[in-house]
């Protein structure tokens, strides 16, 4: 399921699945071994230099304590200490995760990357002591490190006894080498105390942000909400401007060829993707003049922002318009943007797919399924998904599935793999939103079973992104990739559309039983705004997630 934005829409699978909670999480590994990556600088070498400190990722753990589930109403959470830390490195905190998922996480260990001058404060120091945050269930004791002046703690640590931990257990980091962090996901809550445990992430994220996630957690005995800045701990900061752990262009191609997902379109899909060049060559016009567009988009207005002065539309002649709407699967290709994530410790490979037309929506109202005639339609549909690769190892870490105005991250352990380490991506019928598994996903109110259907399934309509892709941008390579002309077009890829939604919804209401009609009238405002009209969508480079992190 996915919560997204402030629209309060709810994504859910159209069927239930019973989860069983294992007594002990088992380590996760990808279906196939990793290849030998082409040689480069620091990608997949196991260590990353952040300037004054060098870090390694630790994924082997010793379990310290488990908060058991209570009558299966809440999931258990296990807490771990890093094991097999390389000589000379020091861990920065502990790791935790729910017990109903495979063991899948890390904490960073650090050391000074160069000798420190006598007068300079060292980058790492032991804490001067600990403050007991809380004791839980009479067995778990949570301790906040007390850093020396000018230093920051990186996370809370856990013991199974009430004795204060040794100061040798972890290290604190000099404040100028850190960035602020915020709460991300609450994974444990004890209201009787009160007490909560949160995963944390850098406050600033995106391809230009320097914050590095340490993999630790935060706990407190006061009320916190998601995306709230945490004052007592911090994350790391990458001060190496070369981002030496990012992959070279040769390594980028190897990563895409190894992990590039298989994209499935619905067996009843009417509006297929195409290449941008095919769209231009087969009649797309630039308005307000209505002039033909060159195959490369060289005559499109470039740069700036969306000033609403230009837009792209289909030709007026009905046969040509109908032909263009259907797209051309044979010409389609994925347009790839490669960018740093989490301070260059991960690489995000964002894969954009273009469809000349987005078809009408299908509404679900209880047991009723009602296809629309026009509502939801628009010209020029840009959708994407992103897979995130760990720069320590080259391992696929997680994927972001974009769904209209929202979406969500899915861990690699919950992804469906098709061939080797290649994930499956399912594109929804008519709307082309991306999902990790086949089924029906509802955008709207799951409580009333009312919203927009997103149906996804396997079919013979497939695009292999590992074979049919073009790298269109990788800013960190400093000019190593030539960006196409059409990518610089920041205006709209379709005209403004205003639907006569009132008329169509009235027709729907007349078909419904009175009991359903009443509830539908009361929550009709939960439908996506795009159902009632839409400005033409802008291209990839105008989206917030081009430079920023994925929204979720």
């Amino acid at each position: 399921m996915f919560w997204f934005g402030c629209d309060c829409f709810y994504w859910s699978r159209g069927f239930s699945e019973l989860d069983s909670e294992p007594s002990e999480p088992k380590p996760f590994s990808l279906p196939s071994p990793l290849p030998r990556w082409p040689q480069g600088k620091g990608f997949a070498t196991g260590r990353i230099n952040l300037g004054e400190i060098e870090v390694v990722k630790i994924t082997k753990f010793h379990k310290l304590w488990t908060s058991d589930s209570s009558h299966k109403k809440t999931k258990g959470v296990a807490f771990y200490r890093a094991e097999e830390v390389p000589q000379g490195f020091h861990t920065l905190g502990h790791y935790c995760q729910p017990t109903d998922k495979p063991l899948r996480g890390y904490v960073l260990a650090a050391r000074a990357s160069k000798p420190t001058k006598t007068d300079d404060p060292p980058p790492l120091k032991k804490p001067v002591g600990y403050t007991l945050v809380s004791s839980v269930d009479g067995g778990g004791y949570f301790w906040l490190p007390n850093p020396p002046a000018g230093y920051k703690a990186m996370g809370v640590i856990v013991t199974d006894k009430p004795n204060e931990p040794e100061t040798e257990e972890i290290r604190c980091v000099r404040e100028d080498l850190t960035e602020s962090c915020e709460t991300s996901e609450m994974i444990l809550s004890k209201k009787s105390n009160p007490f909560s445990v949160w995963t944390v992430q850098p406050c600033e994220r995106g391809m230009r942000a320097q914050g590095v996630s340490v993999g630790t957690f935060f706990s407190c005995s006061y009320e916190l909400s998601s995306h709230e800045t945490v004052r007592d701990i911090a994350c790391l900061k990458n001060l190496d401007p070369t981002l030496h752990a990012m992959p070279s262009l040769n390594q980028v191609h190897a990563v895409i060829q190894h992990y590039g997902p298989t994209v499935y379109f619905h067996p009843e899909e009417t509006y297929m993707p195409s290449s941008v060049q095919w769209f231009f060559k087969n009649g797309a016009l630039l308005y307000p003049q209505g002039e033909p567009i060159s195959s490369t988009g060289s005559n499109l207005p470039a740069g700036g922002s969306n000033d609403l002065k230009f837009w792209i539309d289909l030709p007026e002649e009905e046969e040509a318009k109908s032909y263009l709407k259907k797209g051309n699967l044979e010409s389609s290709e994925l347009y790839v943007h490669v960018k740093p994530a989490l301070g260059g410790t991960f690489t995000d490979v964002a894969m954009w797919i273009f469809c000349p037309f987005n078809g009408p929506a299908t509404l679900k109202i209880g047991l009723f399924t009602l296809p629309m005639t026009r509502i939801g339609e628009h010209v020029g549909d840009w959708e994407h998904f992103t897979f995130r690769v760990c720069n320590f190892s080259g391992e696929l870490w997680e994927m972001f599935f974009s769904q209209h105005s929202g979406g969500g991250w899915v861990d690699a352990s919950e992804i469906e793999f098709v061939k080797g380490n290649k994930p499956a991506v399912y594109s929804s019928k008519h709307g082309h939103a991306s999902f990790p598994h086949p089924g029906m996903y509802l955008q709207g109110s799951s409580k009333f079973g009312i919203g927009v259907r997103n149906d996804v399934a396997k079919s013979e309509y497939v695009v292999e992104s590992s074979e049919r892709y073009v790298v269109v941008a990788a800013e960190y390579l400093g000019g190593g990739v030539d960006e196409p002309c059409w990518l610089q077009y920041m205006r709209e890829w379709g005209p403004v559309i205003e639907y006569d939604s009132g008329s169509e919804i009235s027709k729907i209401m007349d078909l419904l039983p009175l009991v359903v009609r009443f509830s539908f009238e009361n929550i009709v405002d939960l439908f996506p705004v795009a159902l009632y009209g839409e400005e033409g969508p802008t291209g990839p480079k105008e989206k917030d997630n081009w430079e920023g992190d994925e929204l979720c």
Side-chain angles (χ1 to χ4, degrees), residues 258-331:
H258 186 74
Y259 292 123
T262 298
V263 185
Y264 292 99
F265 290 85
H266 195 273
E268 298 175 5
E269 182 59 73
T270 307
Y271 306 104
M272 292 294 177
S274 77
S275 69
V276 170
Q277 290 81 359
W278 182 90
F279 181 59
F280 291 163
K281 286 180 180 179
N282 285 274
L285 301 173
L286 176 65
Y287 284 86
Q289 289 82 13
E291 61 181 282
I293 304 171
S294 72
S295 61
T296 62
S298 59
N299 62 326
L300 292 171
S305 59
N306 182 21
D307 54 16
L308 306 179
K309 293 181 178 179
F310 300 90
W311 66 92
I312 295 173
D313 203 352
L314 306 175
E316 293 184 4
E317 200 274 318
E318 284 301 322
E319 186 175 347
K321 181 185 293 186
S322 177
Y323 178 71
L324 209 56
K325 278 184 176 181
K326 293 177 182 178
N328 182 265
L329 187 65
E330 292 72 23
S331 73

Side-chain angles (χ1 to χ4, degrees), residues 21 67-77 188-190:
E21 183 176 332
S67 172
D68 294 326
S69 60
S70 175
H71 305 293
K72 299 296 181 181
K73 291 182 180 179
T74 59
K75 293 177 170 55
V77 178
L188 178 64
S189 176
K190 300 287 185 179

Side-chain angles (χ1 to χ4, degrees), residues 204-223:
E204 298 294 327
R205 299 179 302 282
M207 73 179 190
R208 304 192 191 281
Q210 296 176 295
V212 173
S213 179
V214 183
T216 55
F217 64 91
F218 180 68
S219 62
C220 64
S221 56
Y222 52 87
E223 191 170 324

